[in-house]
């Protein structure tokens, strides 16, 4: 009984970490589906979102919810401008150029954040910090639960947006067939910039949700690598796949951290990734469709 | 100046030259489409037919020449702006949105419009032309057969309420029966809705029967133009485009005949 409760607790905590990976992975996937670019600065955009929230909430003393909302908006605007000013120019260039550019942007963001906010780990007070919920034999941090709940809400909102609204469907259409979207009168370039805005906003949500668990610092974007593994695991290009992939990576990490020798935790996500790629090269949710002639 | 001279033509393409990198695909093409007319451009593979349509709809920019639509120069305009002026393009190879449903594909066709009621009416009109689409309205477009996708591509272009419809090879990959059906409906759309159509085809037979006026294009140049009735009577067209074999004077077919326009 004790064991079952412990496993459940590990799974829940792992899912919370996994939701963060999933949200960052979601950002990778949205941008990749639309523009076929892989944005390696995604984790660093999350970091910027965290710092923006810190500025609004801790420095300017705003209410948590208002500050979080403003931080998400500001990061989304940042993503939009990033595309308009820089990344739009490399669409259609070889993948390697895009990788180098986004990696470089990541370095710049980290340096800029270090100059602006300093290199120390910082935190702001959230309504979920240091509170626990006891249910049965379980002791769960509200911070972890808030991550799971926040992710679910965000996914619901995004699902409704992408499947029900005209702009959302137009984003899907532009991702599926750019040329045809142009023929329909969809302003594809600005639609892509809005997709950048959404994925930056999602990254900011991840940064804000993560901040009570692990503090905000310049190098928190490093989880982008694990999120990348999650995105590939889910079948790069699938939105539910990104989230499920993230949760799998998170849970496996937690369990291996508890049951396996120390040091294995950091490699398990990649072991799982390799195993999935061997057994199912298109990833768990890979979408493939052949064009009929 | 040109606006005064060409009050009649809905679309007037003058001397466009379009390149793929260093390769010139179109070498000075001029053509006109008048309101309510079906005009066809015929030619072999690689003659430059699709490139003409792409240049009109703004996907490719001409190095030289003008595209005038409804009194405005539209060359080098971005494709979404061209579409908003009233040119809808049903591209070669269908290009439907594979993971969207039939219904959503049609909604996207009307993306630039904000008159909800009329969009709903137009959607019923499309389902009227192609009842198969209504049966499949919730199916993903990518899972449909080639013929159904072609119906969808034409309907999706119609949803934009075009003044001019560009149809690129609607017969591509379809069975002969389906080709006849689709061209019947193309003609109906033209008559009932008064939409001008610029039709690009390899299937010269059906294109000449459908259209009012035709242009023959070879390696990026227009070599012949006339009404379709007269084009069908020309010996060269019969032999090289319609595949009719006349017995020559000496009792057998001439294999190395020179075309008259060369």
């Amino acid at each position: 009984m004790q064991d079952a409760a412990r496993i459940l607790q590990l799974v829940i905590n792992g899912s919370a970490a996994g939701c963060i990976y999933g949200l960052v992975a979601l950002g990778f996937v949205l941008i990749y589906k639309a523009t076929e670019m892989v944005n390696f600065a995604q984790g660093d955009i999350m970091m910027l979102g965290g710092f923006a929230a810190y500025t609004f909430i801790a420095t300017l003393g705003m209410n948590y919810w208002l500050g979080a909302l403003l931080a998400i908006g500001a990061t989304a605007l940042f993503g939009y401008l990033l595309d308009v000013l820089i990344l739009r120019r490399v669409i259609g260039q070889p993948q390697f150029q895009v990788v180098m550019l986004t990696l470089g942007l990541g370095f710049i963001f980290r340096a800029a954040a270090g100059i602006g906010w300093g290199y120390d780990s910082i935190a702001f007070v959230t309504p979920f910090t240091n509170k626990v919920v006891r249910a049965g034999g379980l002791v769960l941090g509200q911070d972890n639960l808030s991550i799971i709940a926040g992710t679910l809400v965000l996914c619901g909102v995004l699902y409704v947006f992408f499947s029900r609204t005209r702009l959302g469907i137009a984003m899907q259409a532009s991702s599926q067939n750019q040329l045809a979207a142009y023929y329909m009168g969809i302003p594809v370039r600005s639609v892509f910039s809005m997709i950048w805005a959404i994925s930056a906003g999602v990254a900011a949500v991840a940064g804000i949700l993560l901040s009570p668990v692990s503090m905000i610092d310049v190098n928190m974007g490093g989880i982008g690598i694990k999120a990348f593994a999650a995105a590939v695991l889910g079948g790069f290009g699938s939105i539910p796949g990104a989230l499920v992939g993230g949760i799998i990576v998170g849970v496996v990490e937690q369990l291996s951290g508890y049951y396996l020798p120390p040091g294995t935790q950091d490699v398990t996500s990649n072991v799982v990734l390799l195993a999935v790629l061997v057994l199912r090269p298109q990833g768990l949710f890979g979408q493939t469709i052949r064009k009929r002639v | 100046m040109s606006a005064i001279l060409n009050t009649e033509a809905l679309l007037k393409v003058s001397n466009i030259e379009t390149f793929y990198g260093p390769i010139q695909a179109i070498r000075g093409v001029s053509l006109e489409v008048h309101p309510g007319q079906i005009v066809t451009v015929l030619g072999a593979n690689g003659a430059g037919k699709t490139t003409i349509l792409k240049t009109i709809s703004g996907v490719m920019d001409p190095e030289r020449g003008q595209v005038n639509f409804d009194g405005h120069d539209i060359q080098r305009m971005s494709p979404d702006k061209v579409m908003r002026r009233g040119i809808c393009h049903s591209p070669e190879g269908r290009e439907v949105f594979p993971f969207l449903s039939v219904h959503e594909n049609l909604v996207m066709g009307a993306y630039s419009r904000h008159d909800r009621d009329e969009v709903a009416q137009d959607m019923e009109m499309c389902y009227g032309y192609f009842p198969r689409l209504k049966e499949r309205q919730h199916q993903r477009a990518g899972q449909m057969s080639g013929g159904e996708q072609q119906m969808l591509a034409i309907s999706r272009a119609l949803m934009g309420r075009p003044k001019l419809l560009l149809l690129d090879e609607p017969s591509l990959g379809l069975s002969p029966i389906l080709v006849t059906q689709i061209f019947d409906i193309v003609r109906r759309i033209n008559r009932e809705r008064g939409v001008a159509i610029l039709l690009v085809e390899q299937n010269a037979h059906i294109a000449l029967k459908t259209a009012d006026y035709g242009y023959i294009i070879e390696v990026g140049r227009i070599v012949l133009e006339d009404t379709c009735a007269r084009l069908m009577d020309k010996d060269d067209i019969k032999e090289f485009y319609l595949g009719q074999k006349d017995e020559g004077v000496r009792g057998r077919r001439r294999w190395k005949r020179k075309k008259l326009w060369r």
Side-chain angles (χ1 to χ4, degrees), chain A residues 44-52 54-55 78 105-120 122 216-221:
Chain A
D44 300 304
I45 294 178
M46 177 190 84
M47 177 265 298
L48 291 179
F51 275 116
Y54 174 83
T55 305
F78 180 76
L105 284 172
F107 277 107
I108 294 173
F109 296 161
R110 258 169 277 161
I115 294 163
W117 286 286
Y119 287 92
D120 297 329
I122 52 176
I216 301 166
D217 71 66
V218 171
N219 291 317
M220 78 193 283

Side-chain angles (χ1 to χ4, degrees), chain A residues 190-209:
Chain A
S190 57
V191 163
F192 283 169
S193 299
M194 282 185 260
I195 290 176
W196 271 87
I198 290 176
S199 84
V202 169
V205 171
I208 293 166
L209 290 173

Side-chain angles (χ1 to χ4, degrees), chain A residues 166 176-177 180 183 185 292, chain B residues 83-84 89 95 99 111 144:
Chain A
R166 223 165 64 103
Q176 288 168 23
N177 193 330
Y183 286 144
R292 284 174 211 250
Chain B
M83 184 272 164
R84 280 157 203 265
H89 192 147
E95 308 280 352
F99 298 109
Y111 183 81
M144 301 200 302

Side-chain angles (χ1 to χ4, degrees), chain A residues 33 162-191 194 287-293, chain B residues 54 57 59 79-80 83-84 87-89 91 93-100 104 107-114 140 142-146 149 156-157 172-173:
Chain A
K33 275 182 84 152
F162 279 116
S163 62
R164 297 277 180 273
T165 67
R166 223 165 64 103
L167 182 61
I169 297 174
M171 285 180 179
Q172 287 192 59
S174 311
S175 307
Q176 288 168 23
N177 193 330
Q178 200 178 327
L179 186 64
Y182 263 127
Y183 286 144
M184 300 303 112
I186 298 171
V188 177
R189 279 151 71 99
S190 57
V191 163
M194 282 185 260
Q287 263 179 334
T288 46
I289 198 156
R290 275 208 212 110
K291 190 172 164 175
R292 284 174 211 250
V293 182
Chain B
K54 284 187 171 171
S57 59
V59 174
D80 50 311
M83 184 272 164
R84 280 157 203 265
I87 300 183
C88 294
H89 192 147
R94 275 84 77 168
E95 308 280 352
V96 295
F97 301 117
F99 298 109
L100 296 186
E104 287 167 332
V107 169
M108 285 300 104
Y111 183 81
S112 61
R113 295 168 58 183
H114 295 278
R140 278 185 176 181
Q143 294 169 340
M144 301 200 302
S145 73
Q149 289 188 13
R156 191 180 59 175
L172 188 78

Side-chain angles (χ1 to χ4, degrees), chain B residues 13-17 26-31 62-66:
Chain B
V13 174
S14 332
N15 289 314
I16 50 166
E17 296 183 11
I26 303 185
R27 302 156 185 272
V29 163
S30 302
L31 56 84
E63 292 284 310
R64 275 176 281 280
Q66 276 94 46

Side-chain angles (χ1 to χ4, degrees), chain A residues 122-141:
Chain A
I122 52 176
F124 52 86
V125 180
T126 74
F128 318 107
T129 308
N130 295 329
K131 287 183 189 159
V132 291
V133 176
R134 284 171 217 279
L138 298 179
V139 182
L140 299 167

